[in-house]
Amino acid sequence: MNWKKWTVILVGTLFMIGNLYLIYKKDSEIKRMSYVDTWTTVKKQNLVESQTDEGLITPVEEEYIYYEEKTGNFEAFLVKEGDQVEENTPILELSSVDIDTAISQKELEISRLEDDIAALEDNIDSLDDLLGDIESSITEENESSNTIMANSLEIEIYEKELQVSRLEAELEKQETVLASMDESISSLTIDSKIAGIVKEIRHDLNNPIVTITSNNLQVEATLTEKEISTFEEGMKVVITSGLQKDKLEGTISSISTLPKNEPKEKKETQYSYIIELDEQPSSNIPLGSNVNLKIITNEINDALTVSTKSIQEKGAKSYVYVMMANGTIERRQIETGLQLNHVKEIKANAEEGEKFVLKANTLKNKTKFYTSLEPKKLKKKDFKEMGKRKALKTALKGFVS
């Protein structure tokens, strides 16, 4: 053996002999120290609390096409069940027998919308004038009452401007329909408003005579009255399916407060909730297929965590024993948070990297502690990296301590 190996053996042997002497010496200080057998380290982790469920793939929306005799006589369906259609695909063809009547009705409707918009705009102008008079006449004596009146007028003006915006949007829509009627005076068609699949056609002409389901998918699931308080809109959801290789991600977009079925006494009422997908699936998933859900009910990123075995509870308070750098144990009260399995979040009074006692022969605040020497963990390269001077200094420091 060379001198390096002998140095390692000698330091280890002296250290063990010194420890044995201190332990068995009468009135030894070691007997008044805490022997720490095992400990744990405070770490940063992402804590995710979740709940599993099952759901069904459903379309985001369905379009219902209605047939009204006053718009023209029915001629033919231009699609069949199962057809894939795009937005503005012709669905129905109507004859032009009553097209003139339909155009007249549409023109009357447009005229009514224009009159309503004009009346509202006149009303807004009057309110603006009144608001200007009030604002110009505000003095210290009437400031409070005039300010209230001015605020009230501003709210009323805003509401009427919203009404004008809605009516203008409806007017634009009706003018578009009228232009379409004029362009196809000999033949009138009803087009789809969404891209999707023709789900149902009613050849008996009972409304809705055509149902189209959209290509965009969502997930619909059910929860009980006990679960409804634990779910919130905006919660993240991970969706898996045997028909989709990759996991899908989504968000709970709505939770219905109306019962899914007729409520019955002594039976749990069920409610439905909708999950909006962040991205549509890359492969086709049939409508109505089953999927597995993982709802993220609580998520904490970069939480300080520690093993629950290191925490002692006393009433509503939590304590840990910290192995301090000066060789003593400190009893410290901490604030805890979320617990997952055998790990618990520490919300206050702890730092990453601190070591908490898991098992010791005795625990007392401000007492010194020692741990077992593990020669197997003494490696030649560690001493080499430290250098002879530092290795010797460290060993002597241990003996003196």
Side-chain angles (χ1 to χ4, degrees):
M1 294 186 182
N2 55 35
W3 66 271
K4 293 180 181 179
K5 292 182 180 179
W6 279 111
T7 301
V8 172
I9 294 172
L10 179 61
V11 170
T13 303
L14 289 173
F15 191 78
M16 285 188 289
I17 292 171
N19 272 276
L20 290 170
Y21 170 74
L22 291 172
I23 291 171
Y24 292 106
K25 180 186 175 185
K26 186 178 180 181
D27 300 324
S28 171
E29 187 180 351
I30 286 291
K31 293 183 179 180
R32 298 191 298 274
M33 295 172 69
S34 294
Y35 168 62
V36 178
D37 185 35
T38 54
W39 58 88
T40 185
T41 305
V42 179
K43 299 177 182 178
K44 275 190 178 180
Q45 297 185 70
N46 295 334
L47 298 180
V48 178
E49 192 173 33
S50 63
Q51 187 170 329
T52 58
D53 200 358
E54 295 179 348
L56 296 174
I57 294 292
T58 62
V60 170
E61 60 179 326
E62 288 189 337
E63 179 188 5
Y64 301 100
I65 296 177
Y66 295 85
Y67 166 60
E68 297 179 11
E69 292 183 0
K70 63 181 180 180
T71 60
N73 293 331
F74 175 81
E75 284 293 320
F77 290 108
L78 302 178
V79 294
K80 61 182 183 295
E81 290 182 2
D83 280 356
Q84 182 75 42
V85 298
E86 300 299 326
E87 188 177 352
N88 298 322
T89 298
I91 304 298
L92 303 178
E93 184 178 4
L94 306 177
S95 68
S96 60
V97 174
D98 298 323
I99 193 67
D100 290 336
T101 303
I103 289 175
S104 297
Q105 290 176 342
K106 194 61 65 178
E107 288 174 341
L108 284 173
E109 189 172 354
I110 289 172
S111 178
R112 179 186 61 78
L113 288 170
E114 290 173 340
D115 291 342
D116 290 346
I117 290 170
L120 278 171
E121 288 176 340
D122 289 342
N123 196 353
I124 290 171
D125 289 339
S126 299
L127 291 172
D128 278 332
D129 292 340
L130 182 57
L131 178 61
D133 292 341
I134 291 173
E135 289 177 340
S136 62
S137 63
I138 292 178
T139 63
E140 291 184 2
E141 291 78 11
N142 63 15
E143 182 178 0
S144 178
S145 60
N146 279 16
T147 300
I148 292 172
M149 290 176 63
N151 290 339
S152 178
L153 281 173
E154 286 175 351
I155 292 171
E156 187 174 355
I157 290 170
Y158 176 72
E159 290 176 347
K160 291 188 180 298
E161 286 175 343
L162 283 179
Q163 293 179 38
V164 169
S165 297
R166 295 190 189 102
L167 289 175
E168 285 176 341
E170 181 63 22
L171 176 62
E172 184 179 352
K173 176 182 175 182
Q174 297 303 330
E175 286 175 340
T176 302
V177 173
L178 179 60
S180 177
M181 288 180 175
D182 289 334
E183 289 172 4
S184 56
I185 194 68
S186 60
S187 175
L188 179 65
T189 61
I190 298 179
D191 302 339
S192 64
K193 296 178 181 177
I194 64 172
I197 299 174
V198 179
K199 178 182 178 182
E200 184 181 20
I201 292 178
R202 298 294 301 270
H203 292 277
D204 56 8
L205 302 186
N206 286 332
N207 284 320
I209 63 173
V210 178
T211 302
I212 300 173
T213 60
S214 71
N215 286 331
N216 291 332
L217 304 177
Q218 63 183 14
V219 177
E220 185 174 349
T222 302
L223 48 80
T224 65
E225 57 188 285
K226 291 180 181 178
E227 296 172 325
I228 198 168
S229 61
T230 63
F231 283 24
E232 294 179 4
E233 293 180 5
M235 282 183 172
K236 295 179 182 179
V237 184
V238 178
I239 303 124
T240 54
S241 167
L243 304 176
Q244 173 76 19
K245 182 180 179 181
D246 299 325
K247 293 180 180 179
L248 299 173
E249 294 184 353
T251 306
I252 296 178
S253 59
S254 64
I255 301 174
S256 176
T257 55
L258 297 175
K260 190 173 182 179
N261 301 310
E262 186 67 27
K264 294 182 180 179
E265 291 184 6
K266 298 181 181 180
K267 189 175 181 181
E268 265 196 321
T269 304
Q270 294 185 325
Y271 302 85
S272 62
Y273 64 100
I274 301 297
I275 299 165
E276 180 181 335
L277 301 181
D278 294 344
E279 292 182 4
Q280 291 296 309
S282 57
S283 59
N284 291 329
I285 301 182
L287 294 176
S289 60
N290 289 274
V291 291
N292 297 315
L293 308 176
K294 180 182 177 182
I295 298 96
I296 310 302
T297 54
N298 196 1
E299 185 175 17
I300 305 172
N301 294 323
D302 293 330
L304 289 176
T305 62
V306 75
S307 169
T308 54
K309 293 180 180 179
S310 66
I311 301 174
Q312 296 185 4
E313 308 286 348
K314 190 173 182 180
K317 296 180 180 180
S318 300
Y319 297 91
V320 292
Y321 285 88
V322 187
M323 300 167 66
M324 305 300 290
N326 62 5
T328 62
I329 293 175
E330 177 184 283
R331 185 173 185 262
R332 186 189 300 171
Q333 183 179 343
I334 58 170
E335 182 183 347
T336 59
L338 179 64
Q339 178 177 336
L340 289 179
N341 300 323
H342 302 298
V343 173
K344 203 163 193 176
E345 175 196 8
I346 303 178
K347 300 173 75 173
N349 296 336
E351 293 182 6
E352 183 180 6
E354 285 191 311
K355 300 186 185 303
F356 295 170
V357 177
L358 281 177
K359 187 178 179 182
N361 64 337
T362 180
L363 284 174
K364 191 174 181 181
N365 191 33
K366 302 300 181 183
T367 59
K368 293 183 179 181
F369 71 90
Y370 66 98
T371 60
S372 298
L373 174 68
E374 297 185 26
K376 290 181 180 179
K377 291 188 177 180
L378 294 174
K379 296 180 181 178
K380 174 182 172 182
K381 67 174 184 177
D382 295 330
F383 288 95
K384 189 175 182 181
E385 290 173 0
M386 291 175 67
K388 289 185 287 184
R389 183 183 296 274
K390 189 173 180 180
L392 182 59
K393 185 178 179 181
T394 302
L396 291 172
K397 184 179 179 182
F399 289 129
V400 171
S401 298

